[in-house]
Amino acid sequence: MAGESYETHDYDVVVVGAGGAGLRAGIEAHDKGCKTAIICKSLLGKAHTVMAEGGIAAAMGNVWPEDNWKVHFRDTMRGGKLLNNWRMAQIHAQQAPDRVLELEEWGALFDRTDEGLILQRDFGGHRYARLAHVGDRTGLEMIRTLQQRAVALGIDVFMECNIQHLLMNDGRVTGAIGYWRESGELIVFNCKAVVLATGGSGKCWQVTSNSWEYSGDGMGMAMEVGADLIDMEKVQFHPTGMVWPPSVRGILVTEGVRGDGGTLLNSEGERFMFNYISDFFKAETADNETEADAWYQDKKNNRRTPDLLPRDEVARAINAEVKAGRGTEHGGVYLDIANRRDAEYIMRRLPSMYHQFKELADVDITKEAMEVGPTCHYIMGGVRVDADTSATTVEGLYAAGEVAGGLHGANRLGGNSLSDLLVFGRIAGGSAADYALGAAAAAAPDAAEVDRLTTLMLEPFTDRGEENPYAIHMDLQRTMHNLVGIIRTESEMLKAMEEIAVYKERAARVKVEGGRRFNPGWHLALDLRCLLGVAEAATLSALECKESRGGHTRDDYPDPDSKYGSVNVVTRKQNGTISVSLEPLPEMPEELRKIVEEQV
Amino acid sequence: MAEAAVAGNGAEAKMRVWRGDASGGEFRDYTVPLQEGMVVLDVIHAIQAMHAGDLAVRWNCKAGKCGSCSAEVNGKPRLMCMTRMNTFEPGETITVAPIKTFPLIRDLVTDVSYNYEKAKTIPPFKPKPKEADGTRRMYQEDIDRVQEFHKCIECYLCQDVCHVIRDHDDNKPSFAGPRFFVRVASLEMHPLDTDDRLEFLRNEAGLGFCNITKCCTEVCPEHIKITDNSIIPMKERVVTRFYDPIARLLGALGGKKS
Amino acid sequence: MSTLAIDKRTLRQDTWWLEPMLVVLGLGAFAVYSTWAALQNGNYYAAPYLSPFYSPCLAINCEHVSVPLFGSWYNWSPAILILWIPGGFRLTCYYYRKAYYRSFFWSPPACAVRDAASGYSGETRFPFILQNIHRYFFWASLPILAFLWWDAIIAFNFGGSFGIGLGTLVLIANAALLSLYSFSCHSCRHLCGGGLNSFKTAPGRYKAWGIITKLNEKHMQIAWTSLVWVGLTDVYVRLLAHGVIQDLRFI
């Protein structure tokens, strides 16, 4: 079947995704003089960035003058169990403060210190109060500021336009193809460079804080054009998601609750985190309640509370408490701030948490404890990029934000995501623009290839079977939750691989009812391709990585293994199959190694 | 596990959902099993998964933070993700319709591009120069007011419920709507901003069309006091500029610009 | 593309018509009573109490003269001389505008319920553009408030000796409620500090603005309470003047 009609647009740089990274990339590419398009699956300003609550990590030193990029760098590396790309971590820590101040230049209003500067709050794994924030809705402030900046600059935005495939010519990416959600019509972009800013793939898992958009599009599309993915097994389960009622299970409870004084309790009322301080963090973590509580006020003479250990540690601890029978009625633990801070303080610091629990769970967090448990939150792995340019391993293709891997190593610290979006969004947009300005015009897309892809996209409307896309998606989520979840083991993951193979086969027989006009069943049927691809890559990586570290915990290999301490697990797709290999991390310079290893 | 928690008592949700597009359609009845804690959006998803795979609905975060799932539930503009099923009478049939003010695309999805076009007309933030020490100093008491406006999640329920455009389509070109009065107020009250948007408010944005009947405030899921805190203060500033000769005279005598 | 086309005025199933109906009854009753009372031109003074409908009483012919601005040629009701000020203040008040646009004009009758009229220009044209003079009525109402407080003070004076009657308390409450109503008004809030872009540099006005903001949140409740109270105050004085009841004396 040939000749399916589509519209065509020509740009220098096409940015796929309009969250923090995509918008920042688009603004940078535009500022460098490129004709730039930003394309997003949802309406502008609805991307997952709005869900970020706690803040943007940046060593501005407004609250603690002792803070600087080196401390932030050290925290990030140690939080990531040294699996981070050191150069990314360095650039990130050095540039984050400028990116925050830039938002202020564009109209953002962060909470203030008494001196009128940007106030910073405590967060897990950060040595000093470092997160620039706006109550507990920092992501909203960030995306709105960037969105309004992009609008003021007059950048073209394609809303509710879902990019499905990248187009290649002469070994470089020269465009993308997708469809308009509203009309179901197909659309082709010709360009010189593409920036992927599509976010993660949390929708592979059942209990997740992620929205439907997180279907792994960027990772899936990059893999299909031969780009490397790294560390796909490193999945962050945020320790505190809502657990009750069932329909809201997984929705995020910000780490800010603990940053502002909340504490985790098991069903016996014990502050169990004191029992889970690993040797790695022993020196800098309080071992008694008095010191932990004093730390909020006096950080110089006290060590930080174990409630704010990095997320992987806390998530595993909660998991262990529940398994040991000390969980709450609905299978979580308690997160209590009601007994620790007064109602006025809670309402001022955590207004949207208050409303979330009040309206969704009938719980007044100023009076009662919350029930929380781990929820799939973030993929540390992703498309492999060059630290200084955010270039992927495929020419003309750039990636920034959650879709890219490397910055966070084995575990991401809270607050480092928003700063990641800004720092590397800007770098990716700038590099793509530089490349586009120097590159020859893209050749027209290969008509046969476009025909193949349009046919592929419209296949679910042909009479191929009776499979329901919603059912396949739910089955995949259950498989990943049960078999490739927080705690993993070889036999279960092999079973997961078998099930994923079945889902792939079922996905080929999906039947979609209705027409092309705004049809969510069709949209999901198409999303299944990347969801399944990413699930497969994550499971294969997890099988290959026979150790436990950060966001990857193996029941059959419960300890870290030095063999995996200095390598990336690389997945790449060649001739239709995904291969996995271990490849060494870039070597960290001596002076940075000293910073990381320094005991404080 | 979530999927095991289906309410054992066989409770059901009876829904009447608009199906169709601008060329025509009808309310169609669906029944799905009800679980504890369900919100209207969950029930719509259940209908999608069980009865109507092509039921068009917009949603993203499902936690009241993104403002995508606006609809009219039993005739009231609401976010579907923040409307709990247990707020209705057991056995009651719940009607879900698309928001009325904007052109219907299909089922529960409407074309909200009006809002994105209006957003483009707002004169952007224009900051004054930095302090001598290179910093930007703002004080919490100066930004409290504006931070309330920044809570807006752009669900456009205020735009939907506003009768100026809901019932009078012909006003759309000359009226920006409550969302954008909030936006202009956030810029006008921004302690660093130097631009002046009062003329814009009075003319292009059509502030005078608002008869402060406060439905925008009633439906705001973020509980922003749209009318009292943004629209009326903007009306008062417009009065000072254009309708109050004494204030102008005093201003001129005091040597102030506004 | 067109919007969802449904024949009904609204899909709402609750009693959305109740609120506009109550407002029509409430405001209607007050309008009828106050017009009647203002046109009575008598029985508005029962020493030492002056009905607020007739205060300040500005004509020589008044039963109780506050300021003799109008000579003996003036024979109409002295209430007419001043009632236009509180009347205009309330008519242009942001709360009452909402109330009567909704309940009398059905523009709209309730949220998500269709407007009665097919065309709409809001407050962009005459006569409704005149709503913008609300702040002038606010300024004008301040001297009236002063007189009402004066009336309340002289209500302690029973023929030269100090006393407190039920009427004294009624007049004090009346002056207090009307003051609350005036000072909680949106224009007052703007004039006190709402028009500033930086509060840091004007701490006094910031404080005033903060207090008025708190009061302003209750503007609707204060509007109704003061409206009912001022009506009842007139009723009380009128009944005393008619000799239907006797004032209750505490001291």
Side-chain angles (χ1 to χ4, degrees):
Chain A
M1 178 176 110
E4 190 58 51
S5 69
Y6 53 85
E7 59 183 269
T8 308
H9 298 267
D10 293 314
Y11 284 93
D12 294 325
V13 175
V14 163
V15 179
V16 187
L23 286 167
R24 189 63 192 84
I27 290 169
E28 191 68 11
H30 172 89
D31 284 350
K32 288 208 167 192
C34 281
K35 190 182 177 206
T36 304
I38 298 175
I39 306 169
C40 50
K41 299 210 285 194
S42 292
L43 296 171
L44 184 60
K46 308 297 181 195
H48 210 61
T49 303
V50 301
M51 296 288 286
E53 292 159 353
I56 312 174
M60 296 188 289
N62 289 350
V63 176
W64 294 89
E66 296 87 342
D67 200 12
N68 59 51
W69 76 263
K70 288 176 185 163
V71 189
H72 190 184
F73 168 75
R74 176 181 182 275
D75 290 344
T76 302
M77 291 298 295
R78 289 175 68 86
K81 309 294 187 302
L82 311 185
L83 278 188
N84 323 53
N85 177 316
W86 66 267
R87 178 65 183 149
M88 287 177 87
Q90 183 189 26
I91 292 172
H92 168 254
Q94 286 172 332
Q95 297 187 4
D98 284 346
R99 295 289 80 75
V100 172
L101 294 173
E102 188 173 74
L103 289 182
E104 200 164 65
E105 262 343 86
W106 297 342
L109 285 173
F110 295 100
D111 288 352
R112 315 308 292 181
T113 65
D114 289 341
E115 292 75 42
L117 299 172
I118 294 173
L119 180 62
Q120 301 183 271
R121 73 150 46 113
D122 282 310
F123 237 54
H126 292 282
R127 179 163 170 74
Y128 296 110
R130 184 180 285 148
L131 269 68
H133 63 277
V134 188
D136 52 4
R137 46 164 201 86
T138 315
L140 174 66
E141 186 77 8
M142 183 165 130
I143 200 163
R144 205 62 86 228
T145 305
L146 292 168
Q147 166 189 350
Q148 285 159 359
R149 177 75 181 170
V151 168
L153 293 172
I155 300 172
D156 292 344
V157 179
F158 292 74
M159 294 197 292
E160 299 200 310
C161 180
N162 198 337
I163 294 299
Q164 285 289 301
H165 302 272
L166 298 171
L167 297 171
M168 299 282 285
N169 230 329
D170 296 335
R172 60 181 258 232
V173 170
T174 57
I177 182 168
Y179 61 88
W180 288 106
R181 281 159 60 80
E182 177 182 327
S183 62
E185 297 298 321
L186 305 178
I187 180 166
V188 169
F189 291 90
N190 294 321
C191 61
K192 295 174 185 169
V194 170
V195 178
L196 293 175
T198 52
S201 55
K203 269 295 168 191
C204 293
W205 280 266
Q206 185 178 43
V207 177
T208 174
S209 64
N210 293 179
S211 80
W212 69 269
E213 295 198 292
Y214 268 42
S215 49
D217 298 6
M219 298 162 186
M221 288 191 287
M223 193 158 65
E224 280 172 8
V225 295
D228 291 356
L229 305 185
I230 55 169
D231 301 336
M232 290 300 290
E233 78 286 0
K234 301 289 193 296
V235 178
Q236 179 168 82
F237 288 84
H238 193 291
T240 58
M242 291 176 79
V243 297
W244 188 259
S247 67
V248 299
R249 189 170 179 144
I251 292 179
L252 193 65
V253 180
T254 176
E255 196 165 314
V257 176
R258 284 170 287 143
D260 287 339
T263 189
L264 292 163
L265 305 169
N266 61 23
S267 58
E268 293 160 13
E270 183 194 8
R271 287 171 69 171
F272 59 86
M273 280 311 298
F274 289 100
N275 308 329
Y276 294 91
I277 306 170
S278 63
D279 289 342
F280 194 71
F281 292 104
K282 210 151 224 160
E284 56 204 75
T285 308
D287 55 10
N288 62 82
E289 298 189 9
T290 318
E291 184 178 355
D293 288 345
W295 168 84
Y296 283 100
Q297 266 42 279
D298 178 3
K299 294 187 172 51
K300 275 187 194 142
N301 300 311
N302 299 286
R303 293 169 298 173
R304 67 187 299 116
T305 170
D307 285 309
L308 284 171
L309 280 167
R311 289 175 174 173
D312 55 328
E313 314 266 339
V314 183
R316 275 194 301 271
I318 294 174
N319 203 55
E321 284 296 305
V322 175
K323 268 203 172 144
R326 294 188 290 272
T328 63
E329 183 190 351
H330 303 114
V333 294
Y334 293 112
L335 172 59
D336 175 41
I337 192 164
N339 288 309
R340 294 172 55 82
R341 297 290 184 266
D342 61 58
E344 190 269 333
Y345 177 86
I346 297 169
M347 294 291 283
R348 182 163 49 83
R349 302 288 296 177
L350 304 161
S352 69
M353 280 303 105
Y354 174 81
H355 282 120
Q356 184 174 314
F357 273 89
K358 191 80 197 154
E359 288 174 32
L360 293 176
D362 258 338
V363 168
D364 181 347
I365 67 167
T366 65
K367 297 202 175 73
E368 352 167 26
M370 297 161 252
E371 272 186 85
V372 296
T375 177
C376 177
H377 185 54
Y378 191 88
I379 315 296
M380 272 71 71
V383 182
R384 181 189 244 177
V385 290
D386 174 65
D388 292 280
T389 62
S390 293
T392 69
T393 51
V394 173
E395 190 180 341
L397 184 63
Y398 299 79
E402 188 173 350
V403 68
L407 168 63
H408 305 293
N411 171 58
R412 176 176 71 79
L413 295 185
N416 272 359
S417 176
L418 291 185
S419 43
D420 172 11
L421 305 183
L422 293 170
V423 169
F424 291 101
R426 175 176 163 275
I427 289 174
S431 312
D434 291 342
Y435 173 82
L437 293 171
D446 179 49
E449 173 70 352
V450 172
D451 277 347
R452 183 183 73 83
L453 296 173
T454 55
T455 308
L456 199 62
M457 285 194 278
L458 297 175
E459 235 173 20
F461 290 108
T462 56
D463 201 9
R464 316 180 289 170
E466 290 294 327
E467 288 291 343
N468 178 338
Y470 297 96
I472 299 175
H473 183 216
M474 280 187 252
D475 289 346
L476 171 68
Q477 288 184 304
R478 189 177 325 113
T479 295
M480 295 304 282
H481 181 83
N482 292 337
L483 306 178
V484 199
I486 303 185
I487 311 292
R488 301 156 177 181
T489 189
E490 177 154 318
S491 57
E492 289 184 351
M493 288 191 286
L494 290 171
K495 185 152 174 276
M497 284 304 295
E498 287 170 23
E499 294 183 4
I500 291 170
V502 173
Y503 303 147
K504 278 172 135 176
E505 191 266 328
R506 281 171 62 192
R509 287 184 282 114
V510 155
K511 181 185 170 76
V512 168
E513 54 184 306
R516 277 164 68 174
R517 197 172 176 76
F518 215 112
N519 185 339
W522 177 43
H523 303 164
L524 180 59
L526 295 180
D527 284 344
L528 284 175
R529 197 187 77 255
C530 286
L531 281 164
L532 288 164
V534 172
E536 184 180 356
T539 309
L540 283 171
S541 295
L543 275 164
E544 180 67 31
C545 189
K546 296 181 174 62
E547 66 149 2
S548 294
R549 192 189 303 258
H552 174 61
T553 305
R554 294 276 300 250
D555 212 19
D556 41 358
Y557 302 95
D559 299 311
D561 180 342
S562 61
K563 179 187 167 192
Y564 299 94
S566 55
V567 292
N568 287 128
V569 180
V570 181
T571 38
R572 59 173 71 92
K573 195 169 183 178
Q574 284 160 321
N575 306 321
T577 53
I578 300 174
S579 67
V580 189
S581 56
L582 301 178
E583 296 179 16
L585 279 163
E587 191 75 32
M588 186 164 21
E590 192 51 34
E591 68 268 23
L592 293 182
R593 182 166 299 282
K594 272 196 199 131
I595 295 173
V596 173
E597 285 167 2
E598 188 187 345
Q599 287 301 323
V600 285
Chain B
M1 291 300 98
E3 79 272 21
V6 177
N9 56 9
E12 288 180 330
K14 291 186 192 157
M15 309 298 286
R16 184 165 293 159
V17 183
W18 174 263
R19 299 300 311 273
D21 55 27
S23 63
E26 59 178 356
F27 283 103
R28 218 170 284 170
D29 288 341
Y30 298 96
T31 304
V32 292
L34 195 62
Q35 294 178 9
E36 188 171 348
M38 263 189 164
V39 293
V40 170
L41 184 60
D42 290 317
V43 177
I44 295 294
H45 282 157
I47 294 172
Q48 266 186 340
M50 297 168 71
H51 303 298
D54 62 337
L55 169 59
V57 57
R58 261 196 202 108
W59 68 285
N60 275 28
C61 76
K62 216 177 102 56
K65 291 195 170 70
C66 75
S68 299
C69 60
S70 303
E72 300 194 2
V73 182
N74 281 351
K76 290 187 180 173
R78 311 255 330 164
L79 290 180
M80 286 187 277
C81 72
M82 297 304 272
T83 306
R84 285 161 57 110
M85 292 296 290
N86 65 5
T87 56
F88 302 100
E89 293 297 318
E92 180 183 353
T93 299
I94 299 157
T95 307
V96 185
I99 53 177
K100 179 175 179 304
T101 301
F102 303 114
L104 186 59
I105 292 175
R106 206 166 79 80
D107 301 343
L108 300 178
V109 177
T110 55
D111 174 6
V112 293
S113 56
Y114 164 88
N115 301 293
Y116 290 91
E117 292 308 315
K118 291 295 175 189
K120 290 179 191 166
T121 67
I122 310 281
F125 178 60
K126 198 166 129 193
K128 63 185 181 192
K130 288 184 179 174
E131 308 278 328
D133 63 355
T135 62
R136 291 271 185 211
R137 296 206 185 239
M138 289 184 270
Y139 297 90
Q140 194 62 44
E141 62 258 44
D142 284 340
I143 65 169
D144 278 338
R145 271 189 307 186
V146 188
Q147 284 187 329
E148 181 193 7
F149 306 145
H150 282 208
K151 289 195 308 191
C152 172
I153 56 175
E154 296 198 332
C155 63
Y156 304 126
L157 286 174
C158 58
Q159 305 283 82
D160 171 50
V161 82
C162 181
H163 70 124
V164 177
I165 47 176
R166 182 186 178 93
D167 299 330
H168 310 281
D169 207 46
D170 52 323
N171 285 335
K172 279 182 180 169
S174 40
F175 185 68
R179 160 53 187 138
F180 296 101
F181 297 144
V182 168
R183 168 113 173 85
V184 172
S186 80
L187 289 162
E188 285 295 296
M189 296 182 193
H190 195 302
L192 298 182
D193 184 72
T194 58
D195 207 359
D196 184 326
R197 300 168 188 78
L198 294 183
E199 182 75 46
F200 167 81
L201 265 180
R202 191 173 71 125
N203 294 326
E204 290 99 306
L207 185 65
F209 279 95
C210 169
N211 68 347
I212 49 167
T213 34
K214 280 199 166 175
C215 287
C216 50
T217 306
E218 275 184 33
V219 301
C220 179
E222 284 293 311
H223 310 293
I224 300 172
K225 291 183 181 136
I226 300 174
T227 320
D228 285 327
N229 288 351
S230 68
I231 295 181
I232 294 176
M234 286 301 107
K235 279 192 174 242
E236 283 294 316
R237 289 185 184 203
V238 167
V239 170
T240 301
R241 173 72 57 80
F242 299 103
Y243 300 103
D244 184 351
I246 297 176
R248 273 221 301 266
L249 190 68
L250 289 174
L253 290 176
K256 281 186 193 164
K257 271 197 295 186
S258 61
Chain C
M1 262 193 299
S2 62
T3 60
L4 177 65
I6 287 178
D7 302 335
K8 294 181 186 166
R9 179 171 288 276
T10 181
L11 290 171
R12 280 178 68 166
Q13 296 159 4
D14 56 343
T15 53
W16 57 264
W17 44 267
L18 186 64
E19 191 184 305
M21 193 183 78
L22 291 175
V23 170
V24 165
L25 291 176
L27 290 183
F30 183 83
V32 169
Y33 174 77
S34 59
T35 309
W36 173 82
L39 294 176
Q40 288 306 298
N41 199 7
N43 293 314
Y44 53 82
Y45 184 70
Y49 311 134
L50 175 63
S51 161
F53 283 8
Y54 287 77
S55 175
C57 217
L58 301 178
I60 291 279
N61 292 338
C62 280
E63 291 175 5
H64 172 87
V65 181
S66 306
V67 185
L69 281 183
F70 292 79
S72 54
W73 58 269
Y74 185 87
N75 276 323
W76 294 307
S77 165
I80 298 169
L81 295 174
I82 48 104
L83 271 191
W84 61 273
I85 294 174
F89 188 39
R90 292 205 183 228
L91 201 63
T92 57
C93 157
Y94 287 97
Y95 165 67
Y96 284 106
R97 273 144 79 179
K98 171 202 162 184
Y100 62 75
Y101 285 137
R102 279 198 186 193
S103 44
F104 287 86
F105 292 81
W106 277 40
S107 172
C111 301
V113 181
R114 195 189 299 151
D115 278 12
S118 57
Y120 175 85
S121 59
E123 300 183 341
T124 58
R125 292 190 206 148
F126 185 82
F128 295 115
I129 198 165
L130 290 178
Q131 306 280 27
N132 286 313
I133 60 173
H134 182 49
R135 65 174 60 163
Y136 284 99
F137 282 114
F138 166 71
W139 292 123
S141 73
L142 296 183
I144 300 220
L145 281 181
F147 277 105
L148 291 175
W149 278 109
W150 178 246
D151 292 342
I153 290 166
I154 58 176
F156 288 100
N157 180 355
F158 290 84
S161 62
F162 177 82
I164 296 177
L166 181 57
T168 316
L169 302 181
V170 167
L171 286 189
I172 289 175
N174 181 57
L177 283 168
L178 290 176
S179 302
L180 275 178
Y181 172 69
S182 296
F183 288 108
S184 65
C185 123
H186 292 84
S187 282
C188 175
R189 183 177 178 224
H190 169 80
L191 296 165
C192 271
L196 299 173
N197 283 346
S198 171
F199 289 134
K200 181 76 180 173
T201 48
R205 291 180 70 185
Y206 176 52
K207 197 154 197 179
W209 177 83
I211 294 166
I212 291 168
T213 297
K214 283 264 173 288
L215 283 176
N216 181 258
E217 286 167 12
K218 299 265 172 270
H219 197 49
M220 176 183 83
Q221 289 86 335
I222 296 171
W224 277 106
T225 316
S226 61
L227 186 79
V228 170
W229 196 267
V230 76
L232 290 179
T233 307
D234 181 79
V235 170
Y236 186 75
V237 174
R238 197 164 291 283
L239 292 178
L240 288 180
H242 274 291
V244 177
I245 54 169
Q246 292 295 307
D247 188 30
L248 195 61
R249 281 290 292 274
F250 303 107
I251 298 172

